Amino acid sequence: MIQKLLIANRGEIACRIIRTAREMGITTVAVYSDADAKALHVRSADEAVHIGPSPAAESYLVGEKIIAAAKQTRAQAIHPGYGFLSENADFAQAVKDAGLIWVGAPPSSIRAMGLKDAAKKLMREAGVPVTPGYDGDDQSAERLRQEADAIGYPVLIKAVAGGGGKGMRKVDAEGDFLSALESCRREAKASFGNDDVILEKWITSPRHIEVQVFGDSHGNHVHLFERDCSLQRRHQKVIEEAPAPGMDEATREEICSAAVRAAKAVDYEGAGTIEFIADASEGLRADRIFFMEMNTRLQVEHPVTEEITGVDLVEWQLRVAAGEPIPKKQDELSIAGWAIEARLYAEDPSKGFLPSTGPLHHLDLGHEGRIETGVEEGDEISPHYDPMVAKLVAWGETRDDAIDQLIEMTDGVEIWSVRTNAAFLGNALGEDDFADAQLDTGFIEAKGDALLADPEPNDAIRAAAADIALLAAGVTEQPMAGFRLNRPLRLTVALGQGGEFTTVDPAEAAPFEPLPGFADDARVVVFADGQAHEFDLAARGGGALAASDGAILAPMPGKVIAVDVADGASVTAGQRLMVLEAMKMEHALTAPFDGTVTQLVATEGAQVQVEAVLCVVEPASED
């Protein structure tokens, strides 16, 4: 058995691995960048090694530094978690060449499944059904357009080296194909260093079904049943569950058997996931489920599989990496109950889900369900990495039980000062269509603004805020009536938002439930239904941004990768002005109204800070 393990990752997955390793009596070594010097995974590990500056490209993605840290601490094995170097075959090989144990798939398996075009050909040979499309060698734009026309729109462009929703574009019409191809290739080149693509027929009622597989060095392969990951936003998974709703036993047997054949085809070892796309227009049917790709690592959503099978997948990874056989045979694995996971992110749904970075002055995720997190109160959400705060996981005897529990968990989230998607998650889980399992990958897009929480606090929240402010000031009850022409003397609180103040008397408000929150000399914060409502208690001066309504501001730190207009250009409302790349995503900045571009400051390739003025749009005259 492994005695000492280095974890080549950060955040919640590093903490997750540390927990299992400690239960197995394994000493752990964390690695960290400048930004993570005080991170929870560093504090939790037995040892920690600094590996470089904050950008991942200079720390967590530098394999040589990680291997050196393992040798320095005399670690026997390296667990890559997910993301970063977890599916990098060259790194996996370098770990093995250094005489260390690689807790992951064999480099040959990673290579075989790493490129989507080669993987699809391999799966066809193994008898695994694949999605209709094009995966040929001719990558010219004209050939790809011709193939897309032949497949029929809509089509999906996918980077062959892509993953996590990066390098994917849906194209609805021929006229949009070339611009979508250019954008997809640019993102793929920046993210993966490879801009080759494949084309797939877009499934009109798609459900994302994936199967957890496991292999060992003794030739054993099993599956741990399926997960449904259909609730996605911009191809990023948001809510995942196991088992998949509407899956009958015959279809489950077909898809899980196909997943095991896929794993055997590449002599797979360790934890992996075979991802399928299902045409669910007539429910889940075995003849309408197609292979998409294989993730040769542990998945973010692995806890739901653990919850329904009672298996610790990280423990299995460590045992198999040490040469042991898979702990259970296929007929010893079964499904018990239902589990659902929601990904809690530091992001602002009301502003297009822009990441929200900064300190976690207040953090309370409750004590119900299973919570996987890499932060504690006082930590910070860094702009350098994925802004996940936690994974909230609920298990129930039935799907309805799990849904109800998870809604309670999202409603009870208390986080400030960053914004989160907790209320958005609760609204999605509470949709009737979700309860009825009327799902596909377009669910979130179709519901649109209906899933967004109302940012305006209601009277009950205002009354609760005033009550919290009075309690914080030491007032535990309203004073007795005074000599004021028979009018009782009352204590009121002036609550401000956006510079506008409203006087609130909690004693005169309609009956309201006490809500959690806190107050200091400057503000009061109330938590309700997963949201944090902040009110000013006194006007705060200085430092306010004084840009006009037509100022186009950088919503977050990033790099300007395209400027579409020139100084003095006439623009129309909604027209794209420029593209900002931030947090590994592209954000289009558009004109707020018809007008003329003035004060164009932004230049292509420039790095900008949050709220930097990039240009100004002067509104067109009414004439």
Side-chain angles (χ1 to χ4, degrees):
M1 176 53 66
I2 297 166
Q3 300 298 315
K4 195 170 192 178
L5 174 71
L6 182 141
I7 301 157
N9 217 296
R10 64 176 302 280
E12 57 87 18
I13 185 55
C15 293
R16 162 75 186 89
I17 296 166
I18 289 170
R19 185 173 71 245
T20 288
R22 179 167 290 122
E23 291 172 354
M24 296 175 67
I26 299 173
T27 302
T28 56
V29 180
V31 292
Y32 65 93
S33 68
D34 289 348
D36 280 341
K38 298 180 180 179
L40 180 59
H41 76 279
V42 175
R43 303 196 300 269
S44 302
D46 296 301
E47 299 177 45
V49 179
H50 178 249
I51 55 170
S54 299
E58 300 176 48
S59 50
Y60 296 106
L61 290 172
V62 184
E64 295 85 355
K65 291 183 177 181
I66 292 169
I67 292 173
K71 290 183 174 181
Q72 173 189 331
T73 57
R74 298 185 183 277
Q76 298 164 283
I78 292 179
H79 194 310
Y82 44 68
F84 292 143
L85 295 170
S86 62
E87 294 183 281
N88 187 308
D90 291 340
F91 176 63
Q93 188 62 57
V95 170
K96 296 170 76 71
D97 290 345
L100 302 169
I101 297 172
W102 168 249
V103 186
S108 59
S109 299
I110 297 175
R111 290 192 176 95
M113 289 302 210
L115 297 178
K116 291 181 173 58
D117 52 350
K120 287 185 69 172
K121 294 172 185 175
L122 184 61
M123 291 301 97
R124 276 195 293 265
E125 295 172 0
V128 179
V130 300
T131 312
Y134 171 76
D135 52 24
D137 295 331
D138 188 344
Q139 289 286 304
S140 67
E142 182 57 29
R143 175 63 184 276
L144 290 169
R145 187 191 61 77
Q146 290 174 358
E147 293 291 342
D149 292 347
I151 294 168
Y153 294 93
V155 297
L156 183 65
I157 306 173
K158 297 174 68 174
V160 298
K166 300 291 191 302
M168 296 177 63
R169 298 292 187 276
K170 177 192 176 189
V171 186
D172 292 307
E174 178 183 358
D176 300 327
F177 182 81
L178 292 179
S179 60
L181 176 64
E182 178 186 356
S183 176
C184 181
R185 279 181 158 167
R186 181 171 61 225
E187 184 175 80
K189 186 70 173 178
S191 299
F192 313 112
N194 184 339
D195 63 359
D196 285 352
V197 300
I198 63 172
L199 306 178
E200 290 181 353
K201 176 65 180 174
W202 178 265
I203 306 298
T204 54
S205 297
R207 279 180 58 183
H208 185 128
I209 309 293
E210 61 186 33
V211 177
Q212 178 72 61
V213 294
F214 225 101
D216 63 26
S217 59
H218 305 276
N220 302 308
H221 295 87
V222 299
H223 68 78
L224 291 93
F225 309 101
E226 81 284 351
R227 299 185 286 255
D228 190 310
C229 306
S230 297
L231 260 66
Q232 304 178 5
R233 191 186 68 79
R234 294 179 65 175
H235 304 294
Q236 294 277 5
K237 299 168 187 174
V238 176
I239 294 172
E240 304 105 332
E241 58 183 304
M247 179 74 74
D248 60 62
E249 285 302 324
T251 303
R252 173 173 291 123
E253 177 61 28
E254 287 285 342
I255 188 175
C256 290
S257 295
V260 171
R261 290 198 300 273
K264 288 182 177 179
V266 293
D267 297 321
Y268 199 76
E269 297 176 22
T273 303
I274 311 297
E275 303 205 359
F276 297 88
I277 190 76
D279 178 354
S281 55
E282 298 180 14
L284 293 178
R285 291 174 34 178
D287 61 346
R288 294 190 180 181
I289 300 178
F290 309 105
F291 171 83
M292 286 197 301
E293 62 185 0
M294 181 178 191
N295 286 303
T296 51
R297 53 172 169 79
L298 197 65
Q299 290 278 84
V300 176
E301 57 273 19
H302 75 273
V304 293
T305 294
E306 294 183 324
E307 290 295 308
I308 66 165
T309 61
V311 167
D312 185 328
L313 291 173
V314 174
E315 179 183 347
W316 277 29
Q317 284 186 298
L318 294 170
R319 292 192 180 282
V320 166
E324 296 182 24
I326 298 172
K328 289 188 177 184
K329 298 183 183 302
Q330 190 65 66
D331 59 8
E332 297 177 301
L333 294 165
S334 60
I335 296 173
W338 214 285
I340 309 179
E341 172 182 295
R343 301 189 187 191
L344 179 65
Y345 280 101
E347 61 186 11
D348 191 343
S350 68
K351 294 183 179 179
F353 295 89
L354 286 175
S356 178
T357 59
L360 294 164
H361 293 305
H362 180 93
L363 173 67
D364 188 345
L365 301 178
H367 303 286
E368 300 300 322
R370 174 174 171 175
I371 299 170
E372 297 286 350
T373 186
V375 293
E376 292 180 323
E377 186 169 288
D379 290 345
E380 186 164 326
I381 301 297
S382 167
H384 297 286
Y385 316 113
D386 183 279
M388 181 184 285
V389 176
K391 299 182 304 195
L392 308 179
V393 188
W395 179 91
E397 293 284 352
T398 67
R399 185 170 185 267
D400 288 344
D401 289 341
I403 291 173
D404 291 343
Q405 290 183 43
L406 193 51
I407 290 175
E408 288 185 16
M409 293 175 72
T410 58
D411 284 351
V413 166
E414 298 179 21
I415 294 180
W416 185 83
S417 59
V418 301
R419 300 293 182 185
T420 78
N421 65 338
F424 169 83
L425 294 171
N427 289 342
L429 292 163
E431 278 285 320
D432 289 342
D433 283 344
F434 184 81
D436 295 338
Q438 298 300 309
L439 312 175
D440 61 35
T441 57
F443 181 95
I444 288 176
E445 182 180 3
K447 298 298 180 183
D449 291 347
L451 300 183
L452 299 181
D454 185 354
E456 293 299 320
N458 57 32
D459 290 343
I461 291 173
R462 291 181 180 277
D467 201 44
I468 291 170
L470 290 173
L471 289 172
V475 179
T476 57
E477 60 182 32
Q478 288 280 6
M480 298 293 291
F483 182 74
R484 296 185 63 195
L485 300 178
N486 297 323
R487 182 180 179 184
L489 177 63
R490 291 301 205 187
L491 290 179
T492 61
V493 179
L495 300 176
Q497 283 190 313
E500 297 291 329
F501 281 79
T502 302
T503 300
V504 178
D505 182 348
E508 292 185 352
F512 63 92
E513 291 290 330
L515 295 171
F518 65 90
D520 56 29
D521 291 340
R523 70 184 61 79
V524 57
V525 177
V526 179
F527 300 105
D529 299 327
Q531 290 193 91
H533 298 274
E534 180 183 0
F535 302 90
D536 292 330
L537 291 178
R540 286 177 277 174
L545 186 65
S548 67
D549 288 344
I552 307 302
L553 309 179
M556 58 193 305
K559 179 181 179 180
V560 178
I561 61 172
V563 178
D564 300 326
V565 294
D567 206 357
S570 296
V571 295
T572 58
Q575 179 179 337
R576 195 177 86 172
L577 306 176
M578 60 193 69
V579 179
L580 183 71
E581 183 181 66
M583 302 294 286
K584 300 181 182 178
M585 299 179 70
E586 295 183 5
H587 305 277
L589 306 181
T590 60
F593 37 66
D594 295 350
T596 303
V597 175
T598 64
Q599 303 177 38
L600 180 61
V601 179
T603 58
E604 189 170 324
Q607 293 284 346
V608 296
Q609 296 302 311
V610 62
E611 295 189 340
V613 178
L614 305 178
C615 74
V616 175
V617 177
E618 295 288 350
S621 65
E622 294 184 2
D623 294 339

